[in-house]
Amino acid sequence: MSVIFASSTCDLDLKTLKKVDVDVINLPTILNGKKCLYNADKFNFDEYYANSTFSVDFDSYKQLIHKKYLEALSSGQDILFLTPNAKYDASYAIVNQEIKQYIGKYPDQKIEMVDCQNCGLGYGLIVYEAGIANMHGSSITEVMSFVNTIKRNIKTYIIPSTNENIKEHLTLVGSSIGVRPVLELVGGEFKVVDNVKGKKKVVDYLYEKAKSNSSEVPLGIMCGKNTDEATTIADLINNVEDERIIFKSNLNPMLLQKFGDKTLAISYYKKSKS
């Protein structure tokens, strides 16, 4: 028996996660002074947009992960935790410390972790495909190998609506009013790969990228308040491929905090798994 854990920052709804038998750990957060658990179904985005005093409750997160690990290990299960991004997400360091507690205590069980080097639905697509592999009877070792392969082929492009929280970490080209950088995740790092200006060009840019994806893995489309832009991309794709599986979601608040509440992003698999 084995369990795959993932953070709720994979931005998949609970129904989808249950379908692939992934145990999601909801990230404990503090929104406007109130403790809550982030998941894509229940988070109060309207309240977040109205007054985004927001932080991660790290102490509660450690306790929750500890509880989940003890439950799984005491039931004899192997564990694989898929973390989003070692550099930008809190779960990697916390899970790494948790694993160290059990080295030698459970010699007959595998306790593993993989850094997916992605974020949002880019991370979510990896979690989704790993869940399917696990359901089909792959061992933890086989699922880990699969994840380490597929994560190199998940392309994620993000067009922020603000540069405020990223300008010190990236070399931004183009400072004209309205010019927005296009970021690509490469090996877990954000890289500026282009610049666009204007709402239509933002949508057209990501649509052109999205339609080049492999249909073997769903397409992820992410946004903040600008759900109309996400819907436009989805409609354009469906006009070309009416059976295409598309996951749409609000970007989780950790990403919105970094990139702005009108950010638009896509994730897709860039080539055939065969």
Side-chain angles (χ1 to χ4, degrees), residues 97-271:
Q97 286 299 115
E98 189 67 23
I99 289 174
K100 288 178 181 178
Q101 296 186 45
Y102 303 113
I103 294 176
K105 293 183 180 179
Y106 296 88
D108 297 326
Q109 292 165 250
K110 290 187 177 296
I111 311 170
E112 305 286 357
M113 174 176 63
V114 175
D115 171 17
C116 292
Q117 298 183 335
N118 219 295
C119 66
L121 283 179
Y123 167 48
L125 296 182
I126 298 168
V127 168
Y128 179 79
E129 294 295 320
I132 292 173
N134 188 50
M135 287 177 64
H136 288 171
S138 297
S139 67
I140 286 293
T141 301
E142 290 168 334
V143 174
M144 287 177 61
S145 177
F146 172 72
V147 169
N148 281 318
T149 298
I150 194 174
K151 75 180 187 183
R152 294 192 290 269
N153 295 313
I154 296 291
K155 305 286 282 185
T156 294
Y157 291 93
I158 299 174
I159 302 182
S161 60
T162 177
N163 298 335
E164 187 63 31
N165 296 324
I166 61 175
K167 62 186 179 182
E168 296 180 1
H169 305 288
L170 297 167
T171 302
L172 301 178
V173 180
S175 57
S176 302
I177 294 174
V179 173
R180 294 165 63 179
V182 179
L183 309 181
E184 181 184 359
L185 264 171
V186 181
E189 299 278 357
F190 291 106
K191 306 290 184 183
V192 180
V193 294
D194 213 333
N195 293 274
V196 290
K197 184 177 182 179
K199 179 176 177 178
K200 185 178 186 304
K201 289 188 177 179
V202 167
V203 170
D204 288 346
Y205 185 97
L206 293 180
Y207 166 64
E208 289 298 322
K209 291 291 185 183
K211 73 179 186 180
S212 67
N213 70 95
S214 166
S215 61
E216 295 181 45
V217 172
L219 167 69
I221 305 175
M222 300 155 278
C223 63
K225 292 178 180 178
N226 49 330
T227 55
D228 59 321
E229 295 176 35
T231 299
T232 297
I233 294 176
D235 289 344
L236 288 168
I237 291 295
N238 283 328
N239 286 338
V240 178
E241 293 184 79
D242 58 2
E243 295 183 358
R244 188 78 177 94
I245 298 174
I246 297 176
F247 296 149
K248 285 197 301 179
S249 78
N250 289 90
L251 285 157
N252 63 68
M254 283 62 68
L255 295 178
L256 290 171
Q257 198 172 42
K258 181 182 291 291
F259 298 122
D261 61 16
K262 291 187 179 179
T263 296
L264 193 63
I266 62 166
S267 295
Y268 62 89
Y269 193 79
K270 70 177 182 179
K271 68 177 185 179

Side-chain angles (χ1 to χ4, degrees), residues 24-82:
V24 66
I25 298 181
N26 292 324
L27 182 69
T29 61
I30 302 172
L31 177 62
N32 299 328
K34 297 179 292 186
K35 290 187 175 182
C36 56
L37 295 174
Y38 169 72
N39 69 52
D41 296 307
K42 297 181 180 179
F43 187 75
N44 191 333
F45 281 99
D46 288 338
E47 182 179 357
Y48 173 85
Y49 294 140
N51 182 18
S52 54
T53 303
F54 173 83
S55 62
V56 176
D57 185 351
F58 292 105
D59 288 338
S60 294
Y61 199 27
K62 291 176 185 177
Q63 294 171 15
L64 186 54
I65 289 174
H66 182 69
K67 178 183 177 182
K68 287 280 191 177
Y69 264 65
L70 283 179
E71 288 174 352
L73 290 169
S74 63
S75 64
Q77 297 184 92
D78 294 332
I79 296 175
L80 173 59
F81 200 123
L82 302 178

